[in-house]
Amino acid sequence: MQVEDKAPQGKLAAFSAASKQQEKGKGNTFRNKQRVLVLASRGIVHRFRHLMLDVLKMLPHGAKDAKMESKDRPSVINELCEMRGCNGALYFETRKHKDLYLWVARTPHGPSAKFLVKNIHTMAELKFTGNHLMYSRPFLVFDATFESEPYLQLLKEMFMQTFGTPRNHRRSKPFVDHTLSFYVLDGHIWIRNYQVAKNEDTGETSLVEVGPRFCLQLHRIFAGAFEGTTVYSNTDYISPNVIRAREKLVKGGKYKSRVQEKKEAILRQQTTPKVENPFAGVFK
């Protein structure tokens, strides 16, 4: 006795095709399990905090953590990354409420790079006309200079692993509408974020800056994560403390010259003989 299948043939065919496609997709899906921990040191000022939040908005695979004590060594972040399941970290370290340093690290084995952040402009400050969808996958654009030196090639790979959105990430959007650009100029790395806009009338594609924008000056590259031997040290790097000390010396030199001029003027008045006026008693 044969039992007839009362289900429509069209639905069965569609279900079998969908199941085969799902099985095929499971076998070929590449899962890039990248997760970046973003945190700052305690005592960070509002401007630096806004920059950190703007960067976090561009990282759908980013995880925000509480502030870390400035007295602790940065190597403690390796334990935090292990607890949060992260294999990368962006650490915004503030010193003297004036200087901002950015650590880009691959945890727990390294390498890691330390940068001095300059020319900071947040999204709230710029107020450009451009805008892009939050957590959309960006194009990573690198200057050709990144291929000229070995340490720049290493930094390029670290930026790709840190800022590149993993494929098929659950929080990412299925399209690309902005670019994250890295340029090397005057010994600094300039980072810009542009929206990919298309003119509906002409059909031309243009780039509109969205922000944030900031500049990185490399300090050192370490073999480990927040520790280890120094792989590369930038000889052109000058500490902000040294720059401020030089400025104080220049201002102090100007003050000393003014004081010396006043002393010489007083001395000239005292040593110069007084000449009596012959017409002093005429007009009385």
Side-chain angles (χ1 to χ4, degrees):
M1 181 179 180
Q2 296 180 355
V3 181
E4 295 182 357
D5 191 358
K6 297 182 179 180
Q9 295 295 330
K11 291 185 178 181
L12 287 176
F15 178 78
S16 60
S19 61
K20 290 180 181 180
Q21 185 70 21
Q22 187 175 4
E23 291 178 359
K24 182 179 179 181
K26 286 183 179 180
N28 297 331
T29 301
F30 172 72
R31 293 185 179 181
N32 186 5
K33 297 182 179 180
Q34 298 289 338
R35 187 175 172 89
V36 179
L37 183 67
V38 182
L39 72 162
S41 62
R42 191 167 298 278
I44 187 172
V45 297
H46 69 282
R47 195 157 179 262
F48 298 160
R49 185 177 68 254
H50 290 171
L51 176 64
M52 181 191 69
L53 295 178
D54 291 343
V55 173
L56 187 61
K57 289 179 182 179
M58 297 187 294
L59 302 176
H61 57 292
K64 187 175 181 295
D65 203 286
K67 297 178 182 178
M68 196 182 72
E69 293 291 341
S70 57
K71 297 180 181 179
D72 297 338
R73 293 184 176 181
S75 57
V76 181
I77 302 177
N78 293 326
E79 300 178 2
L80 298 177
C81 292
E82 185 178 359
M83 291 187 295
R84 297 292 299 272
C86 300
N87 54 4
L90 288 175
Y91 176 46
F92 292 82
E93 183 181 4
T94 307
R95 294 184 181 179
K96 296 184 177 181
H97 303 281
K98 298 179 181 179
D99 307 324
L100 178 63
Y101 290 89
L102 175 61
W103 289 80
V104 181
R106 304 300 301 169
T107 58
H109 304 295
S112 59
K114 183 179 181 181
F115 302 91
L116 175 64
V117 187
K118 299 180 179 179
N119 300 330
I120 299 174
H121 299 280
T122 61
M123 288 184 179
E125 293 176 354
L126 295 175
K127 295 181 180 179
F128 286 135
T129 57
N131 189 15
H132 63 82
L133 190 62
M134 187 175 179
Y135 294 152
S136 60
R137 299 181 70 239
F139 278 117
L140 297 182
V141 180
F142 291 92
D143 188 9
T145 315
F146 278 95
E147 301 296 334
S148 59
E149 297 291 340
Y151 77 94
L152 290 175
Q153 295 177 2
L154 176 60
L155 293 178
K156 177 181 177 181
E157 185 64 27
M158 293 176 63
F159 288 147
M160 290 174 60
Q161 296 181 9
T162 303
F163 293 96
T165 302
R167 183 181 178 185
N168 298 328
H169 193 275
R170 58 184 180 84
R171 296 175 64 185
S172 65
K173 301 302 184 292
F175 54 87
V176 178
D177 63 347
H178 71 107
T179 66
L180 194 59
S181 306
F182 301 85
Y183 305 101
V184 179
L185 181 65
D186 297 334
H188 295 69
I189 299 176
W190 305 79
I191 299 179
R192 298 289 185 267
N193 184 26
Y194 297 97
Q195 176 200 0
V196 181
K198 185 176 182 181
N199 193 342
E200 297 180 356
D201 299 332
T202 61
E204 296 180 354
T205 303
S206 61
L207 297 178
V208 181
E209 187 172 358
V210 180
R213 58 159 63 171
F214 54 98
C215 175
L216 301 178
Q217 184 182 17
L218 179 63
H219 181 198
R220 286 186 181 182
I221 300 178
F222 300 92
F226 302 100
E227 57 185 1
T229 58
T230 301
V231 177
Y232 178 82
S233 179
N234 188 8
T235 56
D236 297 332
Y237 170 79
I238 302 176
S239 175
N241 296 328
V242 176
I243 296 176
R244 285 191 288 265
R246 293 177 180 176
E247 292 177 354
K248 288 182 179 179
L249 288 176
V250 173
K251 293 180 180 179
K254 293 180 180 179
Y255 175 75
K256 288 180 180 179
S257 63
R258 289 199 303 267
V259 172
Q260 186 66 24
E261 289 176 358
K262 289 181 180 180
K263 289 181 179 180
E264 292 177 357
I266 294 173
L267 183 61
R268 284 195 302 269
Q269 291 178 359
Q270 294 176 353
T271 57
T272 302
K274 296 182 179 180
V275 180
E276 295 183 359
N277 188 4
F279 303 100
V282 176
F283 303 99
K284 287 186 179 180

